[in-house]
Amino acid sequence: MAFTKEEIAQRIAKEIKDGYYVNLGIGIPTLVANYIPPDINIVLQSENGLLGMGPFPFEGEEDADLINAGKQTITTLPGSSIFDSAMSFGMIRAQKVDLTILGAMEVSENGDIANWKIPGKMVKGMGGAMDLVASAKNIIVAMQHVNKAGESKLLPKCTLPLTGVKCIKKVVTELAVLDILPEGGFRLLERAPGVSVDFIKQATAGRLVIEGKIPEMTLN
Amino acid sequence: MINKVVSGAEEAIHDIPDGATIMLGGFGLCGIPENCINALVAKNTKNLTCISNNAGVDDFGIGLMLKQRQVKKMISSYVGENAEFERQLLSGELEVDLIPQGTLATRCLAAGYGMPAIFTPAGVGTEVAEGKEIRNFDGKDYLLEYAFDADFAIVKAWKGDTAGNLIFRSTSRNFNPVMAMAGKITIAEVEELVEVGALDPDYIHTPGIYVHRVFQGKDYEKRIEQRTVRKVH
């Protein structure tokens, strides 16, 4: 059975280690915050200028001055800090943020990512995505393995305008966990429970590297 | 102390000419200079180049200036929340320069720090790099990006004193301090204007030297774009 979005988020949460500073993008990455194990301490960075992002406020306690990069009302936590946009991207560029998790339209077998522009459609902009992918030392992409038309999003080469080059380290989809090899290629690490290696092969247009027996993903 | 106080938004923006390049602080609708935007709409200043992370929504913020066709060009990182913006962009009435958010912030910072340019890896290998100088440092490519050159910067602070020292509140800080440093003339509207001496010098975010005009803002709407709450268990 392929994973749900929540299960993809839950699987990615296992990649987060105690003491990490983490930036979560919009979409499935946002859900990862719900699955951080209670016994580890991490700090969420929001690139509009906050370290220590807390949960949504209770109704009636929303503060228009306190939002995340998705413009949602949020809260701070004990130990949070606020800073301006230049410092926010300064700490990203200087690789102080340990892990970045973001969504993508396409990822290529050499680690390129496209997630900001579809030619011919309204372009909203790259926001902070290009800064994050250009500098982050560890980037995990959370996305569906195939698009709505049934076409693979894991490609030999991206067809959409790029957000960054040779920057993605790992991809988690509803079907599989894969890392990107330094010499290129998606190495299959885990498969969703009940999903066959052949099924993943068919859903992956880029070069797929299969070494040995591939275990099923677990969430705990 | 030098007194930077002006009577209000109308006086603060009175000499912004048609065709000016202006910076506007804020992230989404958070921390935007509401009073000055309304005054620019009332005065109907035209052909503006606006440097701002976002472009407001249809009926608030920079969206109000777009509706009156006051904006010739937007320099932003993300502009997705505005139907009139989209219409003008697709019809070719509006020029748009989309740049990475960190590049936007750091080009402001460079201007405020007196540095002509920066090197950033953001956009290397993408269409953002087209036509730009690339330098390799320690095996990694960086784009040369120039400091902004803005005639006016308009920011919103929480508290300010009559000497122009500013303190921002929570994430409404965002682009405001770096834009405050970057304008040839910087205008600050504040929720609370206080006398000099009322703010602790250790807690000033923007020193008054960067601020040329400050005024007590009024009637802040502080609209929330995405109201998200959790249920009480």
Side-chain angles (χ1 to χ4, degrees):
Chain A
M1 262 269 292
F3 271 175
T4 62
K5 285 179 182 177
E6 284 74 18
E7 286 167 327
I8 295 173
Q10 210 174 338
R11 172 60 190 82
I12 290 176
K14 287 174 65 179
E15 304 284 325
I16 299 177
K17 297 190 170 61
D18 193 42
Y20 266 17
Y21 289 90
V22 182
N23 182 292
L24 301 177
I26 293 165
I28 300 173
T30 308
L31 301 172
V32 174
N34 299 333
Y35 302 105
I36 308 297
D39 58 329
I40 69 166
N41 291 303
I42 66 152
V43 175
L44 296 178
Q45 200 248 19
S46 189
E47 66 266 23
N48 57 318
L50 170 64
L51 275 168
M53 179 166 56
F56 296 143
F58 290 117
E59 195 156 359
E61 293 177 4
E62 309 94 307
D63 179 349
D65 287 340
L66 182 51
I67 62 169
N68 63 17
K71 291 152 194 150
Q72 298 170 309
T73 47
I74 46 153
T75 55
T76 54
L77 297 168
S80 288
S81 57
I82 304 273
F83 34 86
D84 64 59
S85 299
M87 184 178 281
S88 182
F89 285 95
M91 64 184 70
I92 288 166
R93 219 179 284 119
Q95 302 197 326
K96 303 295 177 187
V97 176
D98 298 288
L99 176 63
T100 295
I101 302 169
L102 72 180
M105 299 169 184
E106 295 177 348
V107 175
S108 79
E109 64 189 35
N110 69 344
D112 295 352
I113 176 172
N115 72 350
W116 76 284
K117 181 176 184 178
I118 300 174
K121 286 202 178 172
M122 171 62 187
V123 181
K124 293 184 173 187
M126 65 292 279
M130 282 194 184
D131 308 274
L132 281 159
V133 300
S135 294
K137 52 190 170 193
N138 190 8
I139 307 174
I140 300 178
V141 164
M143 67 174 191
Q144 302 296 319
H145 213 100
V146 296
N147 64 21
K148 287 190 181 107
E151 298 155 345
S152 179
K153 295 168 72 172
L154 287 77
L155 303 171
K157 201 169 184 281
C158 292
T159 63
L160 295 169
L162 295 178
T163 309
V165 294
K166 291 185 182 165
C167 52
I168 306 304
K169 301 279 187 293
K170 196 171 253 188
V171 181
V172 180
T173 74
E174 79 281 19
L175 302 179
V177 180
L178 313 101
D179 66 359
I180 291 168
L181 296 168
E183 68 273 22
F186 297 102
R187 179 169 60 180
L188 184 58
L189 299 176
E190 298 171 26
R191 56 197 171 84
V195 171
S196 70
V197 170
D198 276 344
F199 192 84
I200 294 165
K201 262 188 202 164
Q202 280 173 19
T204 308
R207 191 167 80 91
L208 189 66
V209 178
I210 301 158
E211 294 166 346
K213 196 169 152 52
I214 308 300
E216 288 190 349
M217 295 193 227
T218 56
L219 297 178
N220 298 307
Chain B
M1 275 293 160
I2 303 169
N3 191 317
K4 310 276 178 80
V5 179
V6 295
S7 58
E10 200 181 328
E11 185 187 347
I13 61 110
H14 78 281
D15 57 349
I16 298 182
D18 289 353
T21 296
I22 63 173
M23 290 178 163
L24 296 137
F27 184 97
L29 302 178
C30 181
I32 60 172
E34 297 182 20
N35 284 214
C36 284
I37 290 171
N38 290 338
L40 284 165
V41 169
K43 190 160 175 270
N44 202 16
T45 312
K46 296 276 193 192
N47 286 320
L48 294 169
T49 294
C50 293
I51 302 169
S52 174
N53 190 53
N54 313 92
V57 293
D58 278 318
D59 61 344
F60 196 58
I62 294 173
L64 298 171
M65 294 163 65
L66 286 162
K67 198 187 278 180
Q68 282 197 153
R69 306 282 314 280
Q70 293 174 260
V71 183
K72 181 183 70 178
K73 181 176 182 180
M74 279 299 312
I75 301 174
S76 304
S77 87
Y78 191 83
V79 293
E81 326 290 351
N82 192 320
E84 174 61 14
F85 181 99
E86 185 171 345
R87 189 197 66 74
Q88 289 183 23
L89 174 62
L90 296 174
S91 68
E93 295 162 58
L94 178 69
E95 239 181 287
V96 179
D97 197 358
L98 291 170
I99 64 177
Q101 197 173 122
T103 301
L104 179 66
T106 314
R107 288 174 69 189
C108 295
L109 190 80
Y113 275 31
M115 300 184 295
I118 58 161
F119 284 103
T120 177
V124 167
T126 76
E127 62 185 61
V128 167
E130 282 167 22
K132 288 178 184 158
E133 185 179 333
I134 293 174
R135 278 277 294 274
N136 189 287
F137 297 94
D138 288 330
K140 183 167 174 166
D141 284 340
Y142 294 79
L143 298 184
L144 185 144
E145 299 272 11
Y146 292 99
F148 280 123
D149 182 15
D151 303 311
F152 292 84
I154 306 174
V155 304
K156 149 83 192 337
W158 179 41
K159 289 184 182 182
D161 68 18
T162 56
N165 295 303
L166 304 177
I167 296 176
F168 302 90
R169 182 176 174 276
S170 199
T171 58
S172 72
R173 190 183 317 184
N174 56 60
F175 282 86
N176 282 300
V178 284
M179 288 185 171
M181 294 194 304
K184 284 198 194 75
I185 293 175
T186 291
I187 298 164
E189 55 174 89
V190 300
E191 282 182 60
E192 193 183 339
L193 183 65
V194 298
E195 289 304 318
V196 287
L199 303 178
D200 184 336
D202 272 335
Y203 291 88
I204 301 295
H205 294 134
T206 297
I209 190 168
Y210 284 114
V211 177
H212 304 85
R213 299 167 192 172
V214 63
F215 69 93
Q216 168 72 58
K218 58 179 185 187
D219 303 329
Y220 281 103
E221 193 178 329
K222 289 199 182 187
R223 209 183 281 188
I224 292 174
E225 234 169 308
Q226 307 281 343
R227 188 180 298 275
T228 43
V229 295
R230 72 187 134 140
K231 296 267 181 288
V232 185
H233 289 294

